[in-house]
């Protein structure tokens, strides 16, 4: 993974056909996904339950791009090794998931993955002010985590601008997760985001049998974002 601030679209397989993850991943990558976002939920930290390390290991061979694992679990530390062994390229833990964020991030890097930290909408940037040297990615949640298909929380755009300033020249990705579509992508891209997670807006209207809408959806989000940052597609 070479660091760049170019816009990356990371479809979340939370919006894919759960009976067909391998084929869904191959289809979404063939249609232009830059990263594949994997939402791990524990029915405790968030009110929904998805999948664990065994499922991540099973889908790993199908991912040719970047496996971006978003851990919405608490406690998180005891599970980091299993998810790293499952092949995560980026492992993101929530700042709210435990009392030892510094240790969590150190552990992720020691396991050989890129270390991400996610912030719920109600969590201020000060939560990560003193761990910036340990992070490779900051994920700003623009919905309360737990479900796909929720509405984008606009107040987070200001947080994003402040985060972009806080990061300065550091090679730290800024990821946005929740309610990203062609109407919200320009707002987050202009404010400094480079990784745009999209669940429903990426998978809408398509299927493994008819994957072309995936490509149209991804291209529309990318074009809207790149226009806002002045990048040429
Ligand atoms: C929310 C998840 C998101 C979700 C995004 O808890 O972390 O990744 O899949 O879905 P959309 O894009 O539909 O808001
Ligand atoms: Zn997510």
């Amino acid at each position: 993974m070479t660091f760049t601030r170019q816009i990356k679209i990371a479809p979340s397989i939370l919006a894919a056909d759960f009976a067909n993850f391998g084929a869904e991943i191959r289809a979404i990558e063939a249609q232009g996904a830059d990263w594949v976002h994997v939402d791990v939920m524990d029915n405790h930290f968030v009110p929904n339950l998805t999948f664990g390390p065994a499922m991540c290991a099973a889908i790993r061979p199908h991912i040719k791009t970047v496996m971006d694992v978003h851990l919405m679990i608490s406690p998180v530390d005891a599970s980091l090794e299993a998810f790293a062994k499952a092949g995560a390229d980026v492992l993101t833990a929530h700042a709210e998931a435990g009392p030892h964020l510094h240790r969590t991030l150190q552990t992720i890097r020691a396991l050989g993955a890129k270390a991400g930290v996610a912030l719920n909408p109600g969590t201020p940037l000060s939560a990560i002010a003193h761990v910036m040297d340990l992070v490779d990615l900051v994920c700003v949640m623009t919905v309360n985590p737990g479900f796909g298909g929720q509405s984008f929380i606009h107040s987070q755009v200001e947080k994003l601008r402040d985060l972009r300033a806080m990061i300065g020249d550091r090679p730290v990705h800024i990821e946005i997760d929740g309610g990203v579509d062609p109407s919200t992508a320009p707002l987050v891209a202009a404010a400094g985001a480079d990784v745009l997670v999209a669940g429903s807006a990426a998978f809408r209207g398509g299927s493994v049998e008819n994957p072309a809408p995936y490509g149209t959806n991804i291209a529309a989000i990318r074009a809207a974002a790149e226009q806002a940052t002045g990048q040429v597609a």
Side-chain angles (χ1 to χ4, degrees), residues 37 39 70 72 177:
H37 186 80
D39 284 310
H70 179 190
M72 287 161 274
D177 191 1

Side-chain angles (χ1 to χ4, degrees), residues 8-25:
K8 294 163 279 294
I9 310 297
S12 164
I13 60 166
L14 190 62
D17 174 4
F18 271 44
N20 218 357
F21 278 132
E24 286 277 43
I25 288 164

